[in-house]
Amino acid sequence: MSLAIEELKRQKLLLQMEYYAEKEEFRRQTETAGVARKVKRGDAWFPLRMGKSFYNSLNQRAIEVFRTTEQDIEHNFEFGRPVMFFREKNTPHPINAQQSSSTSLYYYHFTGTVSYVDGDRMIVIVPDSAPLLDLQSAETPVGVQLSFDETSYKTMFDALDRVIAAKDNRLAQLRELFYTNRKAERFTFQPTTFPWLNPTQERAVNEVLWAKDVAVVHGPPGTGKTTTLVEAINETLMRESQVLVCAQSNMAVDWICEKLVDRGVNVLRVGNPTRVNDKMLGFTYERRFEAHPDYPQLWGLRKAIRELRGQRRKGGENRHQKMERLKARATELEIRINAELFGEARVIASTLVGSAHRTLEGMKFGTLFVDEAAQALEAACWIPMRRVTRVVLAGDHCQLPPTVKSIAALRAGLGKTLMERIVENKPEAVTLLKIQYRMNEKIMRFSSDWFYHGQVESAPQIRYRGILDYDRPIEWRDSRHADAASVHPEGLENTAETYGETFVGSSFGRVNKVEAQLTLDTLRDYFTKIGRQRLLDERIDVGVISPYRAQVQYLRGLIKHEAFFKPYRRLISVNTVDGFQGQERDIILVSLVRSNDEGQIGFLRDLRRMNVAITRARMKLIILGDVRTLTRHPFYKKLYEYTEEEVE
């Protein structure tokens, strides 16, 4: 047995650990967490307003639902995620009938799949057997919550089994190549020049074109990774008729699709976008299917089939024959439409799990491009690999890692990505992008020195840009010395209770109310210095980041109720580090939350997450945190010292 197969079998065991850990956590939360908590967490909508039910263009039964409460909470529903419907079931209190009844939940015995989400409106695909009439006419309030995602795990397990079993084919060759130090093969033609790219971007594109097996584009923050990748895809299409483009998340797929469409590339997006607008919807498989000239005929055939199904007791043999003829004609039409849609498209785009979609069955591609590859579990990367000859990975393993919930699986190495593995085994296949176009030099320098061996430089045009004259681009405000009484203007009975961090729960993490107030005070002071008119005229935007969801929600509430910020609310985004991945703002404030006498900093020890947080700012970065707690860790000590150097 080869080393590669052994390691992949180990990966499968670790993935099983993660599967059972996530399933158990989901079961526990479903049983113990109340509806209100699920809603606050963004995992449920309750109560719902039920909309119409219908068959969509892909002949799937669908139902429309609307969120009616907590509309300012950022929810976790997106295309492809499984959901469960439930309704309240009132039961009399067992001890005293005079007391108000207690509320329990009745879960419907089917699983739906999110097809489309836009703000507070969602379309859910349901089985034909789903009791929609009961759902729509329920006398008690109805809700929907995220369900455990069995499908994604099944798809990953299938992919691992396939690559383990592969013999004498391209998949087996890639497996053995990725797990050994054997050099990847290259073509040797002359390099192509791209005057609009910088030297490292140009080299990266050429390395992609030269690669016979694998190439890695390593893109630190702000270095134009997406620009480089789009150029590489465009240039590959000069040599290949069609390529497959994947990413871990729907958002990452949307982003690269949008850039490719802007370049005039014919993109077919399998799945629905996260950022819903006409432009994005226009290149989705479902919309293109609906727009095909043969679609009305197909719709008519499907409608006739459904009507015949409703007449089961009538018609006998005749009905059966008619049904078979209609089905054959409908299948023929569907195959023809699909052949045209996929034949015309130059880029097929989907999430990694979405690449297992039935519409892609039997398709082969020359090149697979995987964006944000450093955020994807290795098993997920193997899903589309069976369809391709060579692989291009783009991302940054010094930023956000994949999400792994099982601590044991994480420690055993499940978090190690395929991209990291190839970077270790094949340094010759890696191109580092070295010129960044986002941050003031002073903001960028610390990240470059700590994570990228000082190799990343600022482009000359943005090196010294700032908002105010004689301003410090990066500073640290010590929240330990903040005024605790400012949290409650009427005064605090017990300052100790309010000061420092408070644990809210495993899903939400921690909150630091004093630090949150300091964050707002700091932002208010900085806005006052800039001036209202300039802020609005120049649309100077702000990101407020915290690693903890509880702190994010608390900050959102404070900003919402603070009259001073009312004119600027559209300019201010508040989110977790993960929520800001791939984004940038003129001003960034980072609330680190942790404040205790023991120096405990929890998952702030994951420095890759902090690399994301401190590299979102274009012109001004303000870090808020308890210096005494945080500087016991060498990274935060060095960062604090770096910010203090700026004062001198």
Side-chain angles (χ1 to χ4, degrees), residues 466-469 529-540 571 619:
I467 296 173
L468 298 171
D469 293 339
K529 285 179 184 175
I530 298 169
R532 171 177 172 146
Q533 206 55 47
R534 188 183 164 202
L535 276 163
L536 296 174
D537 289 351
E538 296 181 19
R539 297 191 60 80
I540 295 170
L571 301 173
M619 292 180 274

Side-chain angles (χ1 to χ4, degrees), residues 58 114 125 168 193 304 342 456 476 509 548 640:
L58 305 181
V114 177
I125 303 299
D168 304 324
T193 57
F342 284 95
V456 181
W476 186 313
Y548 295 98
Y640 178 69

Side-chain angles (χ1 to χ4, degrees), residues 339-500:
E340 285 185 28
L341 292 182
F342 284 95
E344 290 167 1
R346 303 298 309 280
V347 170
I348 308 298
S350 74
T351 60
L352 291 163
V353 172
S355 68
H357 196 274
R358 62 177 179 82
T359 53
L360 295 179
E361 201 53 52
M363 292 190 68
K364 296 288 183 185
F365 304 87
T367 307
L368 164 68
F369 291 88
V370 181
D371 196 14
E372 301 297 356
Q375 285 183 259
L377 290 173
E378 179 172 342
C381 288
W382 284 110
I383 297 167
M385 215 92 73
R386 64 179 166 136
R387 305 191 191 280
V388 303
T389 304
R390 66 188 198 120
V391 183
V392 178
L393 303 172
D396 181 11
H397 49 285
C398 301
Q399 293 189 66
L400 287 181
T403 302
V404 178
K405 294 188 176 171
S406 165
I407 303 297
L410 185 64
R411 285 174 178 161
L414 185 62
K416 185 171 183 175
T417 63
L418 187 64
M419 180 173 166
E420 283 179 274
R421 194 179 299 285
I422 292 168
V423 168
E424 282 178 16
N425 291 339
K426 313 249 174 307
E428 73 282 357
V430 182
T431 308
L432 177 69
L433 304 180
K434 295 182 179 180
I435 301 171
Q436 68 87 20
Y437 299 87
R438 176 185 298 164
M439 294 161 271
N440 179 292
E441 167 75 17
K442 295 287 175 54
I443 298 172
M444 181 277 303
R445 179 53 44 207
F446 181 83
S447 171
S448 176
D449 289 347
W450 187 278
F451 294 99
Y452 308 103
H453 311 290
Q455 293 186 77
V456 181
E457 300 290 336
S458 299
Q461 62 267 38
I462 58 94
R463 187 169 287 160
Y464 304 112
R465 72 176 180 181
I467 296 173
L468 298 171
D469 293 339
Y470 310 110
D471 192 18
R472 288 192 285 147
I474 178 170
E475 57 181 283
W476 186 313
R477 294 202 65 184
D478 188 357
S479 59
R480 183 172 281 262
H481 301 302
D483 181 10
S486 67
V487 178
H488 299 298
E490 71 277 7
L492 296 172
E493 292 180 13
N494 188 348
T495 304
E497 286 182 10
T498 306
Y499 177 75

Side-chain angles (χ1 to χ4, degrees), residues 12 151 153-163 383:
K12 188 179 174 183
T151 306
Y153 277 104
K154 185 178 182 303
T155 308
M156 285 192 284
F157 284 127
D158 287 349
L160 287 175
D161 287 338
R162 189 178 295 108
V163 71
I383 297 167

Side-chain angles (χ1 to χ4, degrees), residues 67-296:
R67 178 164 62 164
T68 61
T69 60
E70 305 287 2
Q71 289 158 319
D72 57 333
I73 290 175
E74 197 162 327
H75 63 78
N76 300 317
F77 293 92
E78 62 173 18
F79 170 82
R81 297 202 69 173
V83 296
M84 298 187 298
F85 285 92
F86 60 87
R87 59 175 166 81
E88 278 190 348
K89 185 172 67 173
N90 290 328
T91 53
H93 199 284
I95 297 172
N96 187 344
Q98 298 300 311
Q99 294 180 17
S100 62
S101 63
S102 62
T103 302
S104 60
L105 297 179
Y106 168 78
Y107 283 91
Y108 288 86
H109 298 297
F110 68 89
T111 301
T113 307
V114 177
S115 172
Y116 175 95
V117 189
D118 183 12
D120 299 316
R121 174 177 175 261
M122 180 160 64
I123 306 291
V124 180
I125 303 299
V126 298
D128 281 336
S129 58
L132 291 191
L133 192 63
D134 181 54
L135 200 62
Q136 289 169 307
S137 60
E139 293 178 1
T140 53
V142 173
V144 65
Q145 70 172 57
L146 288 171
S147 181
F148 180 67
D149 193 355
E150 291 273 2
T151 306
S152 292
Y153 277 104
K154 185 178 182 303
T155 308
M156 285 192 284
F157 284 127
D158 287 349
L160 287 175
D161 287 338
R162 189 178 295 108
V163 71
I164 289 168
K167 284 182 184 176
D168 304 324
N169 59 12
R170 186 56 177 157
L171 189 60
Q173 290 169 357
L174 290 174
R175 175 191 70 207
E176 298 306 318
L177 182 73
F178 293 167
Y179 277 86
T180 63
N181 294 322
R182 195 175 84 224
K183 282 206 169 187
E185 291 188 28
R186 292 157 49 103
F187 296 107
T188 54
F189 50 80
Q190 286 295 306
T192 308
T193 57
F194 303 94
W196 52 92
L197 300 180
N198 70 47
T200 56
Q201 289 173 331
E202 185 177 280
R203 185 180 154 233
V205 174
N206 276 296
E207 289 291 346
V208 168
L209 299 176
W210 288 329
K212 279 188 182 179
D213 302 312
V214 63
V216 175
V217 179
H218 182 187
T223 54
K225 171 180 64 64
T226 303
T227 301
T228 308
L229 200 57
V230 166
E231 200 62 57
I233 292 168
N234 205 47
E235 203 60 29
T236 301
L237 289 171
M238 303 289 183
R239 298 157 171 77
E240 298 175 18
S241 60
Q242 199 173 56
V243 299
L244 180 60
V245 176
C246 295
Q248 172 66 15
S249 68
N250 278 296
M251 195 175 290
V253 179
D254 294 346
W255 184 245
I256 196 154
C257 281
E258 198 167 350
K259 298 297 178 189
L260 286 164
V261 170
D262 289 344
R263 286 290 296 268
V265 178
N266 187 336
V267 176
L268 187 63
R269 165 79 154 95
V270 179
N272 275 327
T274 302
R275 300 196 306 261
V276 179
N277 57 48
D278 287 340
K279 178 185 172 185
M280 298 291 287
L281 283 168
F283 54 79
T284 61
Y285 168 69
E286 195 167 336
R287 280 293 174 94
R288 293 268 184 91
F289 196 94
E290 281 177 5
H292 194 278
D294 289 341
Y295 175 68

Side-chain angles (χ1 to χ4, degrees), residues 56-60 285 288-290 292 294-299 301-302 305 326-342 357-360:
N56 68 7
S57 58
L58 305 181
N59 205 31
Q60 298 164 316
Y285 168 69
R288 293 268 184 91
F289 196 94
E290 281 177 5
H292 194 278
D294 289 341
Y295 175 68
Q297 188 185 350
L298 177 62
W299 178 253
L301 288 166
R302 286 170 169 174
I305 291 167
L326 289 171
K327 279 183 178 176
R329 181 65 183 141
T331 304
E332 184 190 320
L333 268 179
E334 190 174 342
I335 290 168
R336 192 163 81 203
I337 295 171
N338 280 338
E340 285 185 28
L341 292 182
F342 284 95
H357 196 274
R358 62 177 179 82
T359 53
L360 295 179

Side-chain angles (χ1 to χ4, degrees), residues 298-331:
L298 177 62
W299 178 253
L301 288 166
R302 286 170 169 174
K303 189 180 177 186
I305 291 167
R306 285 197 295 273
E307 286 171 356
L308 273 175
R309 278 191 184 133
Q311 303 167 5
R312 282 180 182 169
R313 293 179 183 174
K314 305 174 190 174
E317 192 66 31
N318 241 1
R319 175 188 159 278
H320 180 72
Q321 287 173 356
K322 192 176 177 183
M323 176 88 83
E324 291 305 309
R325 280 198 305 274
L326 289 171
K327 279 183 178 176
R329 181 65 183 141
T331 304

